[in-house]
Amino acid sequence: MISFEPLKVLKNQEYRNLLSGRFFLIIAFRMLATLLGWWVYQLTKDPLSIGLIGLSEVIPAVGSALYAGHVIDNNEKKKMLLMCNYAYVFLISFLLIPAFLGHRLHFSGHEITYFIYGIIFFTGICRAFLGPLVPSMIPKIVKMENLPYAVTMNQATFLTASVSGHAIGGFLIALITIKYTLVVIICSMIIASFFFWSLNKQFPVVKHDEKPEVWKSIKEGLSFIVRTKEILGAQMLDMFAVLFGGAVAMIPVFASDILKVGSEGFGLLNAASDIGSMCIIIFLSLVPLKKNQGKILLCVAAGFGLCIIGFGLSKLYWLSFGFLMLSGMLDGISVVIRGTIVQLKTPDELRGRVMSVNSIFIMSSNELGQFESGVMAKIFGVARSVVIGGALTLGTAIFIGSTSPKLRKMEY
């Protein structure tokens, strides 16, 4: 039965401001990811070069994540959110140099590519802090009984922005070229900051007279995750499933060389999985999952792998779009289950550290998955590498499901 009870969380003005700021920020990030994948591939014509974008970001992001969690739990969160937002604006602005002046300064394609990798390396450090901040702020803004609904709405906002960003990015590249698309991306980041300014300050939960030592603080967060088997199992499943099933990273190659649909078709294909995720999360906002969340999580992970196999085998644009959209629907269910479990089971004083570890799993699966896809494509060919990745994702879901009884029985 459809219920509009979950939508009442949107009556909270501060929560709406947080979601609005995140919406414009995620649009910017997705447009940027779309633009960089297309730009680098046009410069190099090498699938591995796309994978190196993810590697350039994930190394500093994962390396900084545990420390970022400690800092988030021991400092005022609104100030950190704004600092990270403006750091992104500053760093991405440097990409305007090769975009507008590359030919005039006689930059080669490889020089521009290396410059992009360098900028993305530094944005990875910002991401280590920014990624856990918004989820860790939500429980202080909404009531605890509304937290599951707030988590679902947060994911719906994220995916709506992802769909918009991927699609708009592809269209803007075709319509106004790469350099002016970068200007739009930077403007979107600045708009996000206006909403963040309206948030209330969130000071840390202080338990001691002095701040704890960094390593002791990090260890406390890690120990909590290891003890909480449902969180650990769900994160491991997501990490390995998406790591092996990172077909999205190869979409520029499929659009350009296999399906031959150009930048417009690339934008839609790039948004297909997010469209599916957005549709299912909107549905789950009205019809929440009531039971058997662990079994559902395992089933959707296996289905995700099958969709990736289908995408790798497809030679038809509409069929490829359908497989990616269905994979996004299954991934959307997984996102809601995992996000709700993490929020409900984590105490306030540990949220930054737990969300930072969660971000490591997410970044490891997405960005390392992007790199893994590039390497596999180089070795086996693009289509064959995607099929192999889908098969490994399916195998991972079966293995974790058969060896993790707590995850199978998980409910909230």
Side-chain angles (χ1 to χ4, degrees):
M1 180 182 294
I2 294 177
S3 169
F4 293 96
E5 184 73 21
L7 299 180
K8 289 184 178 179
V9 71
L10 294 177
K11 292 182 178 180
N12 185 321
Q13 178 67 49
E14 187 178 7
Y15 180 68
R16 291 204 307 272
N17 287 333
L18 181 67
L19 290 191
S20 298
R22 194 183 191 211
F23 178 82
F24 282 100
L25 202 56
I26 297 302
I27 275 187
F29 290 166
R30 290 299 176 261
M31 284 195 292
L32 182 64
T34 300
L35 179 146
L36 293 179
W38 185 259
W39 192 6
V40 167
Y41 187 67
Q42 296 308 308
L43 289 170
T44 65
K45 294 297 180 182
D46 183 0
L48 181 59
S49 65
I50 301 173
L52 290 174
I53 298 173
L55 189 65
S56 298
E57 184 174 26
V58 76
I59 289 175
V62 171
S64 306
L66 294 178
Y67 177 71
H70 161 77
V71 173
I72 291 169
D73 279 337
N74 289 280
N75 287 276
E76 199 276 302
K77 292 182 176 64
K78 174 185 173 180
K79 179 181 178 181
M80 293 189 63
L81 182 60
L82 287 166
M83 288 174 62
C84 291
N85 193 155
Y86 289 127
Y88 254 107
V89 171
F90 176 74
L91 289 167
I92 299 305
S93 296
F94 280 103
L95 293 178
L96 296 174
I97 297 172
F100 279 89
L101 303 174
H103 291 296
R104 189 175 301 176
L105 297 175
H106 305 292
F107 288 157
S108 67
H110 286 294
E111 287 173 337
I112 295 174
T113 301
Y114 294 143
F115 184 80
I116 291 171
Y117 292 155
I119 295 298
I120 297 305
F121 179 90
F122 288 105
T123 64
I125 299 174
C126 293
R127 180 173 175 176
F129 289 84
L130 188 58
L133 267 169
V134 172
S136 67
M137 294 177 76
I138 292 174
K140 286 292 188 72
I141 294 175
V142 302
K143 295 178 180 179
M144 188 56 64
E145 59 265 27
N146 291 329
L147 187 55
Y149 306 141
V151 171
T152 304
M153 288 295 172
N154 181 49
Q155 294 299 336
T157 301
F158 174 88
L159 289 163
T160 303
S162 291
V163 171
S164 304
H166 280 314
I168 292 171
F171 286 124
L172 287 180
I173 292 169
L175 187 64
I176 61 175
T177 70
I178 287 172
K179 57 186 179 182
Y180 292 110
T181 303
L182 272 173
V183 174
V184 174
I185 290 169
I186 293 169
C187 290
S188 182
M189 292 180 178
I190 294 172
I191 292 171
S193 71
F194 295 155
F195 288 98
F196 294 148
W197 274 109
S198 67
L199 301 176
N200 295 324
K201 293 183 177 181
Q202 289 193 12
F203 294 98
V205 178
V206 180
K207 280 192 165 185
H208 309 285
D209 293 334
E210 296 181 0
K211 292 182 180 180
E213 296 177 7
V214 174
W215 172 241
K216 188 179 292 185
S217 173
I218 291 172
K219 187 178 178 181
E220 186 180 3
L222 291 172
S223 298
F224 172 80
I225 292 173
V226 172
R227 292 195 309 270
T228 313
K229 301 301 182 184
E230 296 92 335
I231 294 178
L232 181 63
Q235 288 178 334
M236 293 293 290
L237 177 65
D238 175 68
M239 183 180 76
F240 287 109
V242 180
L243 176 65
F244 294 135
V248 174
M250 292 297 107
I251 286 178
V253 186
F254 274 86
S256 180
D257 298 344
I258 297 176
L259 302 175
K260 301 185 185 301
V261 291
S263 59
E264 297 90 344
F266 163 63
L268 280 175
L269 202 63
N270 212 28
S273 62
D274 286 336
I275 292 173
S277 295
M278 181 183 67
C279 291
I280 198 65
I281 286 184
I282 291 173
F283 176 77
L284 292 177
S285 298
L286 302 176
V287 187
L289 296 170
K290 297 294 186 182
K291 58 182 181 178
N292 297 322
Q293 287 89 350
K295 292 177 181 177
I296 293 171
L297 181 62
L298 292 165
C299 288
V300 298
F304 178 85
L306 291 172
C307 288
I308 298 304
I309 293 172
F311 174 75
L313 294 174
S314 172
K315 297 295 187 293
L316 300 174
Y317 178 77
W318 64 268
L319 187 59
S320 299
F321 183 92
F323 276 124
L324 286 177
M325 185 172 176
L326 181 57
S327 75
M329 296 177 73
L330 297 172
D331 187 51
I333 298 171
S334 172
V335 165
V336 169
I337 294 174
R338 287 184 288 105
T340 304
I341 286 291
V342 171
Q343 288 284 22
L344 289 176
K345 289 187 171 289
T346 305
D348 284 340
E349 66 272 13
L350 289 173
R351 288 194 188 279
R353 282 161 285 178
V354 171
M355 293 301 170
S356 292
V357 175
N358 190 51
S359 73
I360 291 177
F361 282 93
I362 293 171
M363 288 184 288
S364 296
S365 57
N366 291 332
E367 275 65 33
L368 284 181
Q370 186 178 17
F371 176 67
E372 178 267 344
S373 296
V375 173
M376 292 281 283
K378 191 79 170 178
I379 297 172
F380 297 107
V382 175
R384 191 178 292 115
S385 70
V386 170
V387 173
I388 293 171
L392 289 171
T393 299
L394 177 61
T396 298
I398 294 172
F399 174 77
I400 292 180
S402 63
T403 57
S404 304
K406 271 204 166 185
L407 186 59
R408 290 199 305 271
K409 298 174 182 178
M410 180 182 66
E411 293 189 356
Y412 53 80

